[in-house]
Amino acid sequence: MTIRRKGLTVAALAAGALVLAGCGTAGGKTNSSASPSNNFADTINIGIEQTPDTYNSNTADANSVYNAYVDNLTQNGFVKIQPDGSIKANTDYGTYEKVSDNPLTVKYTFSDKAVWSDGTPIDFDDALLAWAAYSGTHPSGQKAEDGSEADLFNAASTNGWNQIKMPEGKAGDKSFTLVYTKPYADWESLLSGGFVPAHIAAKQAGLSTDNNDEALVTAIQNNDTATLKKVADFWNSGWKYQANLPSLPDVALLPAAGPYKYDNASNGTLTLVKNDKYWGTAGKTQKIVFKTVNADEMVQALQNGEIDQFDPSNPTSDMVSQLSALGASVKVEKGESLSFSHVDIDTGKGGKFEDQRVRQAFAKCIPRQDLVDKFAKPIFDGAQILRLHEYLPSQKDYETVLAQVPSAKLYDTVDIAGAKQLLQQAGVKTPYKVTFKFAGQSQLRANQVALIKASCDQAGFNIVSAPDDDVFTTLTQPGKWDAAVFGWSGSGLIASGQSIYVTKGAQNYGRYSNTKVDQLWDQIVQVTNPDDAVPLKAQMEEQLWSDLYNITLYANPGVTAYSSKLTGPVYNPTQYGSTWNAATWTKSL
């Protein structure tokens, strides 16, 4: 399956969504050897279904869950989101204090000890570059695919940052202050991540890095577009990896700020080692290795000892049965995750689903209950059709909101006759061709598209199954897709999903636009009491279903599986996955 981080507020990208897709077989070889002093293995191998594709996971085309799994160990922030969605201050990295509510003002101070793994201090230039990249305040003068003016920085999300004034300070400062132009609901989670090494971006853009990157700081403060374009060009694409990760770029370009740093990559396998410059609590195991393994081969790889842990992107009944058969040699934890599967459609001008009647016809023929029964219920018996976008059945406000959204139940059952009638009313020629994209590595998504095709072709559609190994790049290109099935993975925060729904939002791939939805989001992101967001989101949900923004399918069941030799893994239903605490894991021999 493919899961994308849902509008992560850049740092965590606090809910922007991650991508999961099975690909390849176990790559590379690593050996676990005993540490002579503590009798623990010096290497832990983690299975992932898709290779990480970039060092900078904050761009719109690389905001993947697999990058986040690595970032959990190599990057850092002022807070850490816990598995229950709570926020915990990360005092190793620095401190923060809300100094005013009107205007909302927060002062941050990096730890005096905070340095990148190359020894460069983490300070004001890193914070200022984060603001420049995520604020959406640097127009490029060029048109985006949707006709809007593109920003120099191709950020995955501008949520929160787009209402912050440029931080004031000078190169080398350890403190900076964020002043908001209006309240922002998720302000505390905003800096849970999102920092990249400004000195690397500056140097690669041809700038001097003397005096704590004074040249970069000056360029941002003076809004020097010509200079910032060079910085943004590298920020957008300079940290990308080659497809399938045959190797890493020069590791000098990839300094870390967490307990682990980049060492090497080969054949889809990424190796991290302890960061000897890390000033906080050191990792407990010398090496953490991420191995790319086909989803269908994960259990076998765990049984053989090729991997020690994995989070399946979408577990199947066969997988759970296979894990159970391994007995006491493995531990399995299950629960509902904060990710969900859905079908996105291109509703923009000229899109195949521009006409609302065609959208309604498509929704009427998608067999949502069959999809739940075949792909979710075998893992979690309580699985059900997901009828909302911003709330999942496991969340306390789900039923409260659902009761206020009458349109949410209009497409629970298949209605072939109704779908045919709507296509006829729309005046489209049938069979109506729909290019249906999904992650090329995912057999699950292929099976789901086949099930949808079997139903919708009866209604007058011609569903063309279109696997795509780079599906999230394709989704940013209108005209190259009509429908797509993937998952959003969130954190449960209030405002993180904004960029998925608002007009010209960075993660609004289907080009949906509704003034009322935009206005509601303007209010949602400013609430200071979470309860105040509930009636606003209920109105938004009704509008999304009335317009038929997309078709939600089900909340994904979650599983984490690991060798009984491991100590430390904890199931994490949020977008950060089980590696959120992997620095604390040990493996006995």
Side-chain angles (χ1 to χ4, degrees):
M1 152 182 153
T2 302
I3 296 184
R4 198 163 180 85
R5 271 189 302 197
K6 188 179 161 201
L8 293 190
T9 59
V10 183
L13 279 171
L18 302 187
V19 184
L20 304 179
C23 62
T25 56
K29 292 185 178 181
T30 58
N31 297 312
S32 295
S33 59
S35 167
S37 60
N38 57 23
N39 207 33
F40 288 125
D42 69 357
T43 301
I44 291 175
N45 298 296
I46 298 173
I48 53 177
E49 296 172 22
Q50 177 178 308
T51 55
D53 57 11
T54 186
Y55 168 85
N56 179 14
S57 61
N58 305 300
T59 63
D61 59 353
N63 185 17
S64 161
V65 71
Y66 299 107
N67 296 325
Y69 289 173
V70 177
D71 288 351
N72 286 338
L73 295 165
T74 60
Q75 303 303 332
N76 230 317
F78 284 92
V79 299
K80 290 184 179 294
I81 310 298
Q82 303 300 295
D84 63 0
S86 63
I87 298 171
K88 183 178 180 180
N90 179 15
T91 54
D92 282 345
Y93 195 67
T95 59
Y96 62 96
E97 177 188 7
K98 184 171 70 169
V99 296
S100 172
D101 284 308
N102 188 22
L104 176 59
T105 305
V106 188
K107 181 180 180 180
Y108 295 86
T109 302
F110 291 112
S111 167
D112 287 337
K113 299 177 181 179
V115 295
W116 296 101
S117 57
D118 60 8
T120 302
I122 299 174
D123 53 28
F124 183 70
D125 60 324
D126 300 302
L128 190 62
L129 178 59
W131 173 82
Y134 309 132
S135 62
T137 55
H138 296 86
S140 64
Q142 298 179 344
K143 295 293 184 182
E145 294 277 359
D146 62 3
S148 63
E149 186 168 24
D151 196 81
L152 288 175
F153 294 90
N154 183 29
S157 173
T158 60
N159 294 351
W161 290 94
N162 58 2
Q163 54 199 63
I164 294 175
K165 296 179 180 179
M166 181 169 64
E168 295 183 0
K170 64 181 185 299
D173 285 352
K174 277 288 188 175
S175 294
F176 62 97
T177 299
L178 299 185
V179 180
Y180 292 73
T181 58
K182 50 188 176 182
Y184 181 63
D186 292 329
W187 68 267
E188 195 170 10
S189 66
L190 190 69
L191 290 186
S192 57
F195 294 106
V196 294
H199 64 289
I200 299 296
K203 185 175 181 179
Q204 294 303 305
L207 299 179
S208 167
T209 57
D210 293 344
N211 300 319
N212 299 297
D213 289 331
E214 184 177 21
L216 175 62
V217 170
T218 300
I220 295 173
Q221 291 176 334
N222 292 343
N223 196 20
D224 182 348
T225 300
T227 298
L228 290 182
K229 183 181 185 307
K230 298 175 184 177
V231 175
D233 285 347
F234 180 79
W235 190 93
N236 293 336
S237 59
W239 275 306
K240 287 186 177 181
Y241 305 150
Q242 295 181 60
N244 301 318
L245 199 63
S247 63
L248 280 177
D250 183 353
V251 292
L253 300 177
L254 314 175
Y260 288 83
K261 64 181 180 180
Y262 295 86
D263 185 59
N264 69 83
S266 175
N267 192 28
T269 292
L270 172 64
T271 299
L272 308 179
V273 296
K274 279 189 182 182
N275 178 1
D276 54 345
K277 292 290 198 300
Y278 188 56
W279 62 97
T281 303
K284 288 191 174 182
T285 299
Q286 179 60 33
K287 294 181 181 180
I288 302 290
V289 178
F290 291 89
K291 286 188 173 183
T292 306
V293 182
N294 188 292
D296 296 335
E297 300 171 4
M298 281 289 188
V299 176
Q300 186 68 51
L302 183 63
Q303 181 180 16
N304 294 345
E306 296 175 58
I307 61 173
D308 301 303
Q309 186 274 342
F310 74 99
D311 284 353
S313 61
N314 205 83
T316 64
S317 56
D318 286 345
M319 177 182 289
V320 172
S321 296
Q322 291 169 21
L323 287 169
S324 297
L326 298 183
S329 65
V330 302
K331 295 181 179 180
V332 180
E333 296 182 28
K334 295 187 289 184
E336 263 195 320
S337 72
L338 289 181
S339 65
F340 64 95
S341 293
H342 61 96
V343 174
D344 264 19
I345 49 181
D346 183 3
T347 65
K349 186 175 178 59
K352 285 291 184 71
F353 292 97
E354 181 180 3
D355 191 311
Q356 183 185 35
R357 293 165 297 188
V358 177
R359 300 197 293 271
Q360 292 171 333
F362 194 46
K364 281 180 176 291
C365 68
I366 292 180
R368 296 166 76 202
Q369 188 62 56
D370 283 352
L371 290 163
V372 170
D373 292 343
K374 287 181 171 62
F375 303 111
K377 266 188 174 295
I379 312 303
F380 176 63
D381 190 58
Q384 58 184 280
I385 292 174
L386 177 62
R387 298 181 177 92
L388 298 177
H389 303 78
E390 280 290 289
Y391 297 93
L392 301 183
S394 62
Q395 295 178 290
K396 67 181 182 68
D397 292 318
Y398 181 80
E399 292 295 340
T400 299
V401 174
L402 183 59
Q404 303 173 58
V405 188
S407 296
K409 297 183 179 181
L410 294 178
Y411 305 98
D412 283 3
T413 58
V414 171
D415 180 4
I416 298 298
K420 287 181 176 179
Q421 185 177 26
L422 284 164
L423 287 180
Q424 185 177 19
Q425 292 173 2
V428 298
K429 181 180 179 180
T430 57
Y432 191 69
K433 181 180 177 182
V434 173
T435 299
F436 206 130
K437 292 285 185 176
F438 59 93
Q441 308 93 334
S442 176
Q443 185 59 47
L444 167 77
R445 295 308 190 194
N447 293 342
Q448 292 176 337
V449 172
L451 194 64
I452 294 170
K453 176 178 174 62
S455 178
C456 289
D457 279 11
Q458 298 177 52
F461 288 95
N462 174 23
I463 304 299
V464 178
S465 179
D468 189 332
D469 289 341
D470 196 13
V471 65
F472 289 100
T473 296
T474 301
L475 290 179
T476 65
Q477 302 168 344
K480 292 192 175 180
W481 67 283
D482 303 319
V485 59
F486 60 100
W488 282 126
S489 178
S491 62
L493 299 175
I494 295 170
S496 58
Q498 183 182 19
S499 65
I500 299 174
Y501 309 102
V502 297
T503 301
K504 298 180 181 179
Q507 294 175 302
N508 180 359
Y509 301 125
R511 300 184 290 163
Y512 172 76
S513 180
N514 180 280
T515 301
K516 182 177 180 180
V517 170
D518 294 346
Q519 292 172 345
L520 285 168
W521 269 109
D522 285 343
Q523 297 175 64
I524 290 167
V525 300
Q526 296 184 59
V527 302
T528 55
N529 183 335
D531 292 340
D532 294 338
V534 174
L536 296 171
K537 286 196 173 183
Q539 293 180 58
M540 182 197 67
E541 291 280 3
E542 175 60 26
Q543 191 65 54
L544 292 176
W545 278 112
S546 178
D547 290 341
L548 209 58
Y549 161 76
N550 72 357
I551 302 96
T552 54
L553 301 178
Y554 56 80
N556 299 327
V559 170
T560 186
Y562 54 96
S563 166
S564 58
K565 294 180 179 180
L566 282 192
T567 299
V570 176
Y571 173 66
N572 187 343
T574 74
Q575 62 200 11
Y576 304 98
S578 293
T579 66
W580 73 282
N581 72 337
T584 68
W585 297 0
T586 57
K587 179 184 177 182
S588 60
L589 295 172

